[in-house]
Amino acid sequence: MNRRKFLAGAAGIATGLGAMGSFSLPTFADTLADIKARNKLLVAIDLGSPPFGMSDANMQPTGSDVESARLLAADLGIPLEIVQVTSPNRVPFLLTNKADLVMASFSVNEERKKVIDFSDAYGVIQIVIAAPKSTQIKSLDDVVGKRLGTTRGSTNDKETTNQAKGAEMVRYDDDATLITALVSGQVGIMASSPQVMAAVNARRPNDPLEVKLVLKTNPYAIGVRKGDDALRGVLNEWIAKNLSNGKLGEIYLKYNGVPLPAELPKT
């Protein structure tokens, strides 16, 4: 199937994607039309959330979400523009049209689904409580009265606040600030992801954190505005294709250090 046939309509998405190395944007939805008209894909990414989004030694964006967004833009044949966000403003940036979509370790939960829509999952992220080996935590009772560092407005924050009653939640504006706080000793216990824990341990190898409790395993997906079904359909086809050909799995393994599960939870 060639690009002209794909541009003919939605049917081309379902029938032709698997055989295509890249694909172009149809024109039957407002967001898709806007992307095509400006010839640029605006993707909201949190660059303070390693290994999903961060800056390399040359201060250039990198991470699994950055690389996934670049793959998406390349397949669409549209230049990528990264719209930098933090965990709390991912939804507001999407709802105010500052970005076409969000790829920012965006865990799917019922609260968010009330105001935005999600694509199919393209990865998973756990919510864990982690602390040094010397800190004894075997149940949620053991964190009562203790200070737990987390990222403000994240699913880690909300889930831990709901489950760890009696803990003192210390909230930071992004994962990068949380990591700095854990490395510097401002806070000794974290409520975040194994990926954040790995970033902390890379900078404090003599006293690494370890997972004490797993509170939840969440799928993460691409966030779009409510009712943006045409865009979501394109994204779901793209995810299915790149899970099948292994490209998204390679990106996940590269940055997370563990394989992507063979089956991802439904969103």
Side-chain angles (χ1 to χ4, degrees):
M1 178 180 178
N2 61 32
R3 180 167 296 188
R4 289 191 300 273
K5 289 181 180 179
F6 182 82
L7 288 169
I13 298 172
T15 59
L17 182 59
M20 296 170 60
S22 63
F23 56 98
S24 57
L25 293 169
T27 58
F28 49 83
D30 288 345
T31 301
L32 293 173
D34 290 344
I35 295 168
K36 184 173 178 62
R38 86 166 79 91
N39 194 39
K40 186 180 295 182
L41 178 66
L42 306 179
V43 180
I45 300 178
D46 184 356
L47 296 181
S49 181
F52 305 100
M54 51 196 170
S55 297
D56 63 17
N58 297 315
M59 299 306 295
Q60 296 301 307
T62 188
S64 60
D65 278 330
V66 173
E67 192 164 331
S68 297
R70 287 172 175 158
L71 176 63
L72 172 61
D75 280 352
L76 292 173
I78 296 289
L80 171 68
E81 179 176 316
I82 293 174
V83 179
Q84 190 167 349
V85 293
T86 61
S87 184
N89 67 22
R90 290 174 294 184
V91 171
F93 266 53
L94 181 63
L95 295 182
T96 55
N97 297 314
K98 294 179 181 177
D100 299 317
L101 51 91
V102 179
M103 297 178 73
S105 54
F106 211 10
S107 298
V108 180
N109 62 37
E110 293 305 314
E111 182 178 351
R112 287 174 180 159
K113 288 169 74 173
K114 292 176 183 177
V115 293
I116 65 170
D117 286 338
F118 285 96
S119 70
D120 293 338
Y122 68 100
V124 295
I125 185 169
Q126 288 182 318
I127 300 172
V128 304
I129 291 177
K133 185 176 182 179
S134 58
T135 302
Q136 297 299 311
I137 298 175
K138 295 184 178 180
S139 73
L140 288 171
D141 291 338
D142 295 327
V143 300
V144 173
K146 290 184 169 64
R147 300 173 77 242
L148 272 61
T150 193
T151 302
R152 189 188 317 277
S154 65
T155 53
N156 305 317
D157 179 2
K158 294 174 183 177
E159 189 68 30
T160 308
T161 299
N162 288 336
Q163 289 199 40
K165 305 294 185 182
E168 179 186 348
M169 302 302 296
V170 183
R171 296 176 174 90
Y172 298 90
D173 286 337
D174 54 39
D175 286 348
T177 310
L178 170 62
I179 290 165
T180 298
L182 288 159
V183 171
S184 65
Q186 295 175 41
V187 66
I189 306 172
M190 70 160 225
S192 190
S193 68
Q195 290 88 349
V196 168
M197 184 185 74
V200 172
N201 290 346
R203 293 171 57 184
R204 51 178 286 175
N206 296 327
D207 187 24
L209 305 182
E210 62 181 20
V211 173
K212 302 292 186 178
L213 302 172
V214 177
L215 302 185
K216 194 173 183 180
T217 299
N218 287 323
Y220 62 80
I222 303 173
V224 299
R225 285 179 282 276
K226 272 287 182 186
D228 212 341
D229 295 334
L231 176 59
R232 186 169 60 169
V234 170
L235 295 174
N236 285 343
E237 293 289 349
W238 175 80
I239 289 168
K241 171 195 169 189
N242 284 283
L243 287 175
S244 178
N245 66 23
K247 290 183 179 180
L248 285 172
E250 290 172 4
I251 293 171
Y252 189 89
L253 177 61
K254 175 181 176 181
Y255 290 96
N256 291 273
V258 294
L260 190 65
E263 287 193 25
L264 298 181
K266 299 295 183 182
T267 59

